[in-house]
Each structure stands twice: as C-alpha cells, then as structure tokens.
C-alpha cells in the first residue's frame, strides 16, 4: 500500500530539475502541445521548471536517458503514457468531506428530495468526474448510504467515479487510506464506514464494503468520448477544470449540461467558476450550479 499521491511544490520541482537532465525548448514545446491536446491543460512558459522536475522521476522509472527519448515514447503511443504524464504534471490532492458545504446540501436538501421522487422507480446517479484517489466518491457514498437508510433504501442509486490518472484510480479501487487521511471524517462516521487495519496495517483504514458497492470506478479522460449516456442527478467536477483553458472549460460545461436533466446540479471546486462560460446554469450556492429549464 502507498500513500495517495500529493502535489510537489514548484520549489521542489525546480530543485529536482537542477539535478536531472534538462528540458530543451523543442521538447518543452512538444510536451506543451501534447498535454494541451490530450489533457486540456495549458502549460505556460513559467511551468517549465515544474514540468522538468516532475517528469524526471518518470524518466527514471522508464529508464530513459533524456526528455527527447520521453517525447519519442509519447509520439510512438500517445494513449499508453497519457495517464502517467497527466498524473505527473497535475495534482491529485483531495480529501474526505473536502468543501463540506456541498455534502451538507446533499444531506439536507437534495438526497431526501431525489429519494422521495425515485421511490417508485427511477435511478439516482451521481458522477464524480476527476475523482483522484477516491476520497470524493467515497464521501458521496457515505452521505448517500445514510440518506438511503433514513429516507427509503429501495432506490436504484449509484455513484460513478472517473479519472485520467492510473495511479490515482488504483488507490481509489483499493479504498485503503492512512488513518491521518480521515481527518475530515467525524468519529461516528469513521466507526460506521471504515474498517481499521490490523498488525502492519494498524495505521490504515479500509472503506466499508457498502461504500464500494455504491461506487463504480472507471478510467476516463474528460476530453475524450464518454461511454455513459446519463442522465445524472448531479455531477461533481471539483478542482479539475482549474487546469483547463477557456475553450476546454466551455466545451466541458456544455457536455455536462447535456448529461444533466433540467434542475440537475453541477458542483465545482472552491476556486472554479462558470461565470461567462455557459448560460445553461444558475449559480444557486457556493460553487453549486443548477441547470435551467429550457
Ligand atoms: C485536484 S484533483 C481533484 C479531486 C477531487 N475532485 C477533489 O476536488 O478533491 C484533480 C483530478 O483531476 C484529474 N484530471 C485532470 N485532467 C483530467 C482529464 N482531462 N480527464 C480526467 N481527469 C482529469 C487529475 O488526474 C486529478 O486526479
């Protein structure tokens, strides 16, 4: 088991870069174009040290001599290395009950309403798009499981969790976290929804099988085609579009609008906004958007 990936700071990256092979203009330009086309992430010139520092570890893992050889790997088979590249340059930082006001809105208002509406058939679907290491979808699963117990359990309810990063998804699938990662989880919920490890694993906790049952974890690049048809009652896409440029965000929000019914919800991260990017939604709370009626 390994700790969930965390972000390196720009400072660390610069130091790592100084010790490793250097990134030529041509290779940096290739990487910028590649990352933009395949991940929607626009890397400014100021990100050069960061990219160099973060990719040095990837070069070592692949036993490559320099960045030119790494660019060749990407040219030969762009899809095979894409997830690793995206993991290296973006951040998987996340937490249980991150931006907890979103989960309060679900618990106090949205889930009771949706469950009442769907009691006699109908599916309740939530998508965690950019789920990283799984804390977000498992938090959704906790509030969903509690709401189903409280308001009626005979509802077909599921959470879809997707991400581009293979390492992040591996952690999400395992559902095993160091105890100190459970900081945002109340003592009551820790008892209810986590199983404490034993022996060598006594500093780890594993998510309850009921939570796993509610969450389907799949690899998905948000810029590529999506296999699912929707509709979703809510889409969580928090702290993901922060890396995307304006046209990429516009396209993504338009596609989300296509998978949400009128009155469906889109949750963004604390520093993200849809302002001026899409007019299908009304802002109804802190980074909470509701799809308008046509
Ligand atoms: C900072 S984490 C956010 C995790 C969680 N949503 C939260 O707010 O705590 C951003 C995640 O977005 C994912 N990501 C970035 N670009 C993506 C793309 N084009 N397709 C799918 N996932 C992407 C990254 O791999 C990373 O795991």
């Amino acid at each position: 088991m390994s700790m969930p990936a965390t972000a390196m700071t720009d400072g660390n990256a610069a130091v790592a870069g100084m010790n490793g092979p250097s990134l030529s203009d041509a290779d940096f330009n290739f990487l910028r174009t590649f990352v933009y086309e395949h991940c929607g992430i626009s890397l400014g010139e100021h990100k050069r040290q960061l990219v160099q520092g973060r990719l040095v570890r990837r070069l070592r893992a692949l036993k490559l001599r320099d960045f030119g050889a790494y660019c060749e790997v990407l040219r030969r088979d762009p899809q095979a290395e894409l997830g690793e590249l995206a993991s290296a340059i973006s951040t998987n930082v996340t937490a249980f009950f991150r931006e907890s006001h979103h989960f309060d809105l679900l618990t106090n208002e949205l889930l009771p309403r949706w469950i009442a509406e769907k009691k006699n058939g109908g599916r309740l679907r939530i998508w965690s798009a950019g789920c990283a290491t799984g804390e977000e979808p498992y938090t959704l699963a906790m509030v969903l499981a509690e709401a189903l117990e409280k308001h009626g359990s005979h509802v077909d309810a599921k959470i879809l969790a997707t991400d581009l990063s293979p390492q992040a998804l591996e952690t999400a699938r395992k559902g095993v976290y160091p105890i100190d990662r459970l900081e945002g989880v109340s003592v009551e919920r820790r008892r209810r929804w986590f199983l404490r490890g034993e022996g060598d694993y006594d500093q780890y906790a594993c998510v309850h099988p009921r939570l796993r049952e509610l969450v389907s974890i799949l690899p998905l690049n948000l810029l590529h085609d999506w296999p699912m048809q929707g509709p979703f009652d809510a889409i969580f896409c928090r702290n993901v579009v922060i890396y995307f440029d304006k046209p990429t965000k516009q396209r993504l929000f338009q596609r989300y609008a296509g998978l949400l019914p009128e009155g469906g919800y889109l949750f963004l991260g604390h520093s993200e906004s849809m302002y001026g990017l899409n007019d299908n939604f009304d802002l109804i709370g802190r980074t909470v958007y509701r799809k308008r009626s046509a």
Side-chain angles (χ1 to χ4, degrees):
M1 269 183 295
S2 58
M3 290 280 287
T6 51
M8 279 171 60
T9 64
D10 288 36
N12 286 342
V15 173
M18 282 192 298
N19 297 332
S22 62
L23 183 58
S24 70
D25 287 349
D27 291 340
F28 183 51
N29 286 336
F30 170 80
L31 285 168
R32 281 168 81 170
T33 308
F34 185 94
V35 166
Y36 180 69
E37 282 174 0
H38 292 272
C39 315
I41 299 170
S42 42
L43 297 167
E45 178 60 41
H46 65 290
K47 293 279 166 116
R48 192 190 188 108
Q49 287 286 308
L50 178 93
V51 170
Q52 179 171 320
R54 289 189 176 184
L55 286 181
V56 158
R57 282 197 281 177
R58 197 64 200 133
L59 257 61
R60 285 196 202 112
L62 294 172
K63 300 191 171 38
L64 297 172
R65 218 169 358 109
D66 53 29
F67 285 99
Y70 186 67
C71 292
E72 265 319 298
V73 168
L74 295 173
R75 281 192 191 94
R76 259 201 316 273
D77 190 353
Q79 296 310 319
E81 177 60 14
L82 183 57
E84 298 287 349
L85 171 63
S87 294
I89 55 160
S90 62
T91 162
N92 295 328
V93 168
T94 183
F96 289 103
F97 288 93
R98 182 180 198 184
E99 296 166 54
S100 61
H101 53 100
H102 288 163
F103 303 100
D104 293 341
L105 178 67
L106 280 173
T107 301
N108 299 330
E109 189 184 324
L110 303 182
L111 287 170
R113 193 204 313 153
W114 292 334
I115 291 169
E117 283 167 7
K118 293 162 197 281
K119 253 185 181 156
N120 301 321
R123 301 168 346 151
L124 199 171
R125 294 289 182 267
I126 302 176
W127 179 14
S128 166
C131 66
T133 40
E135 287 86 336
E136 179 178 279
Y138 289 129
T139 302
L140 287 167
M142 283 184 245
V143 295
L144 174 58
E146 289 165 6
L148 288 170
E149 277 179 17
K150 189 166 170 196
H151 304 287
S153 55
H154 300 295
V155 173
D156 170 12
K158 280 255 170 237
I159 294 156
L160 172 67
T162 64
D163 202 281
L164 175 65
S165 160
Q167 294 105 319
L169 289 177
E170 201 185 319
T171 304
R173 279 200 194 92
K174 281 185 186 148
V176 175
Y177 300 92
I179 297 289
D180 58 11
R181 300 281 308 155
L182 307 192
E183 220 174 44
V185 185
S186 67
V187 174
E188 202 180 54
R189 283 190 168 123
R190 287 184 196 202
R191 283 203 200 104
R192 180 79 210 277
W193 297 119
F194 290 87
L195 308 169
R196 183 91 187 231
E198 288 171 358
D200 288 350
Y201 296 119
D202 71 342
Q203 288 309 305
Y204 291 86
C206 173
V207 296
H208 192 283
R210 172 69 180 135
L211 303 188
R212 289 170 184 279
E213 195 181 273
L214 287 170
V215 178
S216 306
I217 299 171
L218 293 174
L220 184 75
N221 185 337
L222 292 170
L223 267 60
H224 291 175
D225 291 340
W226 300 345
M228 58 278 188
Q229 316 271 309
F232 290 96
D233 297 282
I235 298 175
F236 275 62
C237 183
R238 306 185 311 160
N239 309 298
V240 177
V241 302
I242 198 168
Y243 307 110
F244 297 168
D245 69 353
K246 193 173 166 186
T248 309
K249 285 189 224 183
Q250 282 173 319
R251 273 195 303 277
L252 187 63
F253 293 149
Q254 194 56 32
R255 293 176 81 192
Y256 285 152
L259 289 188
L260 289 164
E262 285 175 8
Y265 288 79
L266 178 60
F267 293 79
L268 299 182
H270 60 282
S271 58
E272 296 164 332
S273 160
M274 211 188 285
Y275 184 74
L277 297 174
N278 194 296
D279 52 16
N280 287 299
F281 292 90
D282 291 314
L283 178 65
I284 59 112
R286 260 198 291 164
T287 54
V288 184
Y289 294 83
R290 187 170 53 211
K291 189 174 157 188
R292 277 191 198 146
S293 307

